[in-house]
Short mmCIF file of all heavy atoms in Angstrom, two decimals:
data_model
loop_
_atom_site.label_atom_id
_atom_site.label_comp_id
_atom_site.label_asym_id
_atom_site.label_seq_id
_atom_site.Cartn_x
_atom_site.Cartn_y
_atom_site.Cartn_z
N VAL A 1 85.64 85.06 123.59
CA VAL A 1 86.94 85.03 124.25
C VAL A 1 87.80 86.17 123.68
O VAL A 1 87.56 86.65 122.57
CB VAL A 1 87.68 83.68 124.08
CG1 VAL A 1 86.85 82.55 124.66
CG2 VAL A 1 88.01 83.41 122.63
N HIS A 2 88.79 86.59 124.47
CA HIS A 2 89.68 87.66 124.02
C HIS A 2 90.77 87.05 123.14
O HIS A 2 91.52 86.19 123.58
CB HIS A 2 90.33 88.37 125.22
CG HIS A 2 91.31 89.42 124.83
ND1 HIS A 2 90.94 90.68 124.45
CD2 HIS A 2 92.67 89.37 124.72
CE1 HIS A 2 92.01 91.39 124.14
NE2 HIS A 2 93.08 90.61 124.30
N GLY A 3 90.84 87.51 121.90
CA GLY A 3 91.80 86.96 120.95
C GLY A 3 93.12 87.71 120.93
O GLY A 3 93.15 88.95 120.98
N MET A 4 94.21 86.96 120.87
CA MET A 4 95.56 87.51 120.75
C MET A 4 96.25 86.82 119.58
O MET A 4 95.84 85.73 119.19
CB MET A 4 96.33 87.28 122.05
CG MET A 4 95.61 87.81 123.28
SD MET A 4 96.41 87.36 124.84
CE MET A 4 96.30 85.57 124.81
N SER A 5 97.29 87.44 119.04
CA SER A 5 97.89 86.86 117.84
C SER A 5 99.40 86.98 117.83
O SER A 5 99.97 87.94 118.37
CB SER A 5 97.33 87.53 116.58
OG SER A 5 97.65 88.91 116.56
N ALA A 6 100.04 85.99 117.21
CA ALA A 6 101.45 86.04 116.85
C ALA A 6 101.50 85.79 115.35
O ALA A 6 101.21 84.67 114.89
CB ALA A 6 102.24 84.98 117.61
N VAL A 7 101.82 86.81 114.59
CA VAL A 7 101.78 86.73 113.13
C VAL A 7 103.05 86.05 112.63
O VAL A 7 104.16 86.43 112.98
CB VAL A 7 101.65 88.12 112.50
CG1 VAL A 7 101.53 88.02 110.98
CG2 VAL A 7 100.44 88.85 113.07
N THR A 8 102.88 85.01 111.81
CA THR A 8 104.01 84.23 111.30
C THR A 8 104.37 84.58 109.86
O THR A 8 105.50 84.33 109.43
CB THR A 8 103.68 82.74 111.34
OG1 THR A 8 102.51 82.50 110.51
CG2 THR A 8 103.38 82.28 112.76
N ALA A 9 103.41 85.11 109.11
CA ALA A 9 103.64 85.43 107.71
C ALA A 9 102.58 86.42 107.25
O ALA A 9 101.51 86.51 107.84
CB ALA A 9 103.58 84.17 106.83
N VAL A 10 102.91 87.16 106.22
CA VAL A 10 101.97 88.09 105.61
C VAL A 10 101.70 87.60 104.19
O VAL A 10 102.64 87.46 103.39
CB VAL A 10 102.52 89.52 105.58
CG1 VAL A 10 101.56 90.45 104.83
CG2 VAL A 10 102.77 90.04 107.00
N THR A 11 100.44 87.31 103.90
CA THR A 11 100.10 86.84 102.56
C THR A 11 99.56 87.98 101.70
O THR A 11 98.96 88.92 102.21
CB THR A 11 99.05 85.71 102.59
OG1 THR A 11 97.79 86.25 103.01
CG2 THR A 11 99.48 84.59 103.51
N VAL A 12 99.79 87.86 100.42
CA VAL A 12 99.16 88.73 99.42
C VAL A 12 98.01 87.91 98.86
O VAL A 12 98.21 86.99 98.08
CB VAL A 12 100.15 89.12 98.31
CG1 VAL A 12 99.48 90.03 97.28
CG2 VAL A 12 101.38 89.79 98.91
N GLN A 13 96.80 88.22 99.27
CA GLN A 13 95.69 87.29 99.06
C GLN A 13 94.38 88.03 98.90
O GLN A 13 94.15 89.07 99.51
CB GLN A 13 95.62 86.36 100.30
CG GLN A 13 94.61 85.25 100.21
CD GLN A 13 94.70 84.29 101.39
OE1 GLN A 13 93.91 83.37 101.50
NE2 GLN A 13 95.68 84.48 102.27
N ASN A 14 93.51 87.48 98.06
CA ASN A 14 92.15 87.97 97.93
C ASN A 14 91.24 86.79 97.62
O ASN A 14 91.64 85.63 97.83
CB ASN A 14 92.05 89.07 96.86
CG ASN A 14 92.57 88.63 95.50
OD1 ASN A 14 92.60 87.44 95.18
ND2 ASN A 14 92.99 89.59 94.68
N SER A 15 90.04 87.04 97.15
CA SER A 15 89.10 85.95 96.91
C SER A 15 89.51 85.03 95.77
O SER A 15 88.98 83.93 95.62
CB SER A 15 87.70 86.52 96.64
OG SER A 15 87.67 87.18 95.37
N LEU A 16 90.48 85.48 94.96
CA LEU A 16 90.93 84.69 93.82
C LEU A 16 92.10 83.78 94.14
O LEU A 16 92.44 82.90 93.36
CB LEU A 16 91.30 85.63 92.66
CG LEU A 16 90.16 86.47 92.10
CD1 LEU A 16 90.69 87.46 91.08
CD2 LEU A 16 89.08 85.60 91.49
N GLY A 17 92.75 83.99 95.29
CA GLY A 17 93.85 83.13 95.67
C GLY A 17 94.99 83.89 96.31
O GLY A 17 94.89 85.08 96.60
N VAL A 18 96.08 83.17 96.54
CA VAL A 18 97.27 83.73 97.18
C VAL A 18 98.29 84.05 96.09
O VAL A 18 98.73 83.17 95.36
CB VAL A 18 97.88 82.73 98.20
CG1 VAL A 18 99.13 83.31 98.84
CG2 VAL A 18 96.85 82.36 99.26
N GLN A 19 98.67 85.32 96.02
CA GLN A 19 99.65 85.73 95.01
C GLN A 19 101.08 85.68 95.53
O GLN A 19 102.04 85.74 94.76
CB GLN A 19 99.33 87.14 94.52
CG GLN A 19 98.11 87.22 93.60
CD GLN A 19 96.79 87.27 94.37
OE1 GLN A 19 96.62 88.11 95.25
NE2 GLN A 19 95.87 86.39 94.03
N GLY A 20 101.24 85.57 96.84
CA GLY A 20 102.57 85.50 97.42
C GLY A 20 102.51 85.62 98.92
O GLY A 20 101.45 85.94 99.49
N PHE A 21 103.64 85.33 99.59
CA PHE A 21 103.69 85.56 101.03
C PHE A 21 105.13 85.78 101.47
O PHE A 21 106.08 85.39 100.78
CB PHE A 21 103.04 84.42 101.83
CG PHE A 21 103.77 83.10 101.79
CD1 PHE A 21 104.82 82.82 102.67
CD2 PHE A 21 103.40 82.10 100.89
CE1 PHE A 21 105.47 81.60 102.66
CE2 PHE A 21 104.05 80.87 100.86
CZ PHE A 21 105.10 80.62 101.76
N SER A 22 105.27 86.44 102.60
CA SER A 22 106.58 86.70 103.18
C SER A 22 106.55 86.30 104.65
O SER A 22 105.63 86.69 105.39
CB SER A 22 106.93 88.18 103.06
OG SER A 22 108.20 88.45 103.62
N GLU A 23 107.55 85.51 105.07
CA GLU A 23 107.59 85.06 106.46
C GLU A 23 108.07 86.18 107.39
O GLU A 23 108.86 87.03 107.01
CB GLU A 23 108.53 83.86 106.62
CG GLU A 23 108.20 82.66 105.75
CD GLU A 23 109.00 82.65 104.46
OE1 GLU A 23 109.64 83.69 104.13
OE2 GLU A 23 108.97 81.63 103.75
N ILE A 24 107.57 86.14 108.62
CA ILE A 24 108.07 87.00 109.68
C ILE A 24 109.29 86.31 110.29
O ILE A 24 109.29 85.08 110.45
CB ILE A 24 106.98 87.21 110.76
CG1 ILE A 24 105.72 87.81 110.13
CG2 ILE A 24 107.51 88.08 111.90
CD1 ILE A 24 105.89 89.18 109.54
N PRO A 25 110.35 87.03 110.63
CA PRO A 25 111.51 86.38 111.27
C PRO A 25 111.11 85.58 112.50
O PRO A 25 110.25 86.01 113.29
CB PRO A 25 112.41 87.56 111.63
CG PRO A 25 112.05 88.63 110.65
CD PRO A 25 110.58 88.47 110.40
N ALA A 26 111.71 84.42 112.67
CA ALA A 26 111.32 83.50 113.75
C ALA A 26 111.44 84.14 115.12
O ALA A 26 110.61 83.90 116.01
CB ALA A 26 112.16 82.23 113.68
N ASP A 27 112.46 84.99 115.32
CA ASP A 27 112.61 85.61 116.63
C ASP A 27 111.51 86.60 116.94
O ASP A 27 111.13 86.79 118.10
CB ASP A 27 113.99 86.27 116.76
CG ASP A 27 114.21 87.38 115.75
OD1 ASP A 27 113.62 87.33 114.65
OD2 ASP A 27 114.97 88.32 116.06
N ILE A 28 110.93 87.22 115.91
CA ILE A 28 109.81 88.13 116.11
C ILE A 28 108.54 87.34 116.42
O ILE A 28 107.71 87.74 117.25
CB ILE A 28 109.59 89.02 114.87
CG1 ILE A 28 110.83 89.87 114.62
CG2 ILE A 28 108.36 89.89 115.03
CD1 ILE A 28 111.18 90.82 115.75
N VAL A 29 108.39 86.18 115.77
CA VAL A 29 107.24 85.31 116.08
C VAL A 29 107.27 84.90 117.55
O VAL A 29 106.27 85.00 118.27
CB VAL A 29 107.22 84.07 115.17
CG1 VAL A 29 106.09 83.12 115.58
CG2 VAL A 29 107.06 84.47 113.71
N THR A 30 108.43 84.42 118.00
CA THR A 30 108.52 83.96 119.38
C THR A 30 108.38 85.11 120.36
O THR A 30 107.79 84.95 121.44
CB THR A 30 109.85 83.22 119.63
OG1 THR A 30 110.94 84.10 119.37
CG2 THR A 30 109.96 82.02 118.72
N ALA A 31 108.88 86.30 120.00
CA ALA A 31 108.73 87.46 120.89
C ALA A 31 107.26 87.83 121.06
O ALA A 31 106.84 88.24 122.16
CB ALA A 31 109.52 88.64 120.33
N GLN A 32 106.47 87.70 120.00
CA GLN A 32 105.04 87.98 120.11
C GLN A 32 104.37 87.02 121.11
O GLN A 32 103.56 87.43 121.94
CB GLN A 32 104.37 87.84 118.75
CG GLN A 32 104.77 88.87 117.71
CD GLN A 32 104.14 88.57 116.36
OE1 GLN A 32 102.98 88.91 116.11
NE2 GLN A 32 104.90 87.93 115.48
N ILE A 33 104.71 85.73 120.99
CA ILE A 33 104.11 84.74 121.89
C ILE A 33 104.49 85.04 123.33
O ILE A 33 103.63 85.06 124.23
CB ILE A 33 104.59 83.32 121.51
CG1 ILE A 33 104.12 82.96 120.10
CG2 ILE A 33 104.06 82.30 122.52
CD1 ILE A 33 104.74 81.68 119.56
N LYS A 34 105.76 85.32 123.58
CA LYS A 34 106.21 85.58 124.95
C LYS A 34 105.58 86.86 125.51
O LYS A 34 105.25 86.94 126.71
CB LYS A 34 107.73 85.68 124.98
CG LYS A 34 108.43 84.35 124.75
CD LYS A 34 109.94 84.53 124.77
CE LYS A 34 110.66 83.21 124.57
NZ LYS A 34 112.14 83.38 124.56
N ALA A 35 105.41 87.86 124.66
CA ALA A 35 104.85 89.13 125.11
C ALA A 35 103.44 88.96 125.66
O ALA A 35 103.13 89.46 126.76
CB ALA A 35 104.87 90.15 123.97
N VAL A 36 102.60 88.25 124.93
CA VAL A 36 101.21 88.13 125.38
C VAL A 36 101.06 87.08 126.48
O VAL A 36 100.29 87.26 127.43
CB VAL A 36 100.26 87.83 124.21
CG1 VAL A 36 100.26 88.99 123.22
CG2 VAL A 36 100.60 86.54 123.50
N ALA A 37 101.82 85.98 126.37
CA ALA A 37 101.71 84.93 127.39
C ALA A 37 102.22 85.41 128.73
O ALA A 37 101.63 85.10 129.78
CB ALA A 37 102.49 83.69 126.95
#
């Protein structure tokens, strides 16, 4: 299937675990969903 994405957060992560994350602003998340839908 063709995959599309709305990114909600960016994690700082590797095989050892998550060192941190930063959220994407909610309005940008919803704009991504509306754009592809």
Side-chain angles (χ1 to χ4, degrees):
V1 301
H2 177 81
M4 305 173 297
S5 62
V7 183
T8 60
V10 176
T11 69
V12 180
Q13 185 173 176
N14 56 24
S15 69
L16 297 173
V18 179
Q19 286 83 53
F21 69 85
S22 180
E23 303 95 348
I24 302 296
D27 62 331
I28 299 299
V29 175
T30 60
Q32 293 175 82
I33 297 170
K34 290 179 179 179
V36 297

